[in-house]
């Protein structure tokens, strides 16, 4: 499995770690599981650690997944911080994710630094 989810109880942040090449189905499963974890834990903060992501999916796959995010996530408290991958090939996909989700009304921001991402999520 190229992803895993962890709850950081001290900050009430859900962290999803994406790793390697993730094809459409696997990516969709990870996004669905992340949404479910946010809802189950009544968390309004999501950290997407994409530092190990290398690709494997298309921009259309990302657009489709963005459309599956519940509209209720547009609430003012919800935020997603995305840690940029080191793979040059995957960086463009992460930038696209930030753009498409922001255009849909969600608060999503890319970070190169984990500490800065956590700071933004907890402010």
């Amino acid at each position: 499995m190229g992803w895993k989810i962890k709850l950081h109880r001290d900050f009430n942040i859900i962290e999803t770690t994406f790793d390697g090449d993730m094809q459409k189905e696997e990516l969709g499963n990870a996004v669905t599981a992340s949404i479910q974890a946010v809802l189950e834990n009544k968390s309004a903060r999501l950290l997407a650690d994409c530092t190990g992501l290398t690709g494997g999916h298309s921009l259309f796959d990302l657009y489709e997944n963005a459309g599956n995010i519940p509209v209720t996530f547009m609430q003012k408290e919800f935020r997603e911080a995305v840690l940029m991958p080191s793979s040059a090939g995957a960086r463009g996909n992460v930038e696209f994710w930030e753009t498409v989700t922001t255009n849909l009304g969600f608060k999503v921001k890319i970070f190169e630094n984990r500490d800065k991402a956590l700071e933004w999520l907890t402010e």
Side-chain angles (χ1 to χ4, degrees):
M1 178 164 51
W3 59 275
K4 63 181 176 182
I5 295 178
K6 177 181 179 182
L7 170 64
H8 296 279
R9 292 193 187 280
D10 46 341
F11 298 113
N12 198 26
I13 293 173
I14 302 296
E15 179 175 358
T16 305
T17 303
F18 300 87
D19 193 38
D21 273 357
M22 294 188 65
Q23 302 301 314
K24 177 182 180 175
E25 184 177 350
E26 185 177 27
L27 179 67
N29 291 340
V31 171
T32 299
S34 298
I35 290 169
Q36 186 173 0
V38 165
L39 294 172
E40 286 175 1
N41 291 287
K42 297 182 174 105
S43 174
R45 303 289 188 256
L46 181 61
L47 176 63
D49 183 347
C50 297
T51 54
L53 186 64
T54 56
H57 50 276
S58 70
L59 296 180
F60 182 77
D61 298 336
L62 291 169
Y63 185 80
E64 187 177 314
N65 278 294
N68 292 331
I69 301 171
V71 176
T72 55
F73 278 32
M74 283 189 241
Q75 63 183 316
K76 65 180 182 174
E77 302 89 28
F78 178 78
R79 292 181 179 205
E80 179 184 25
V82 183
L83 294 175
M84 189 62 102
S86 54
S87 166
R91 292 174 78 85
N93 282 0
V94 169
E95 290 167 348
F96 179 78
W97 178 259
E98 179 189 43
T99 299
V100 74
T101 52
T102 299
N103 287 345
L104 288 170
F106 303 107
K107 291 183 183 89
V108 177
K109 190 171 179 180
I110 294 172
F111 293 89
E112 297 280 349
N113 178 286
R114 182 181 182 86
D115 290 337
K116 295 222 183 273
L118 289 171
E119 181 180 313
W120 181 73
L121 283 174
T122 58
E123 67 182 25

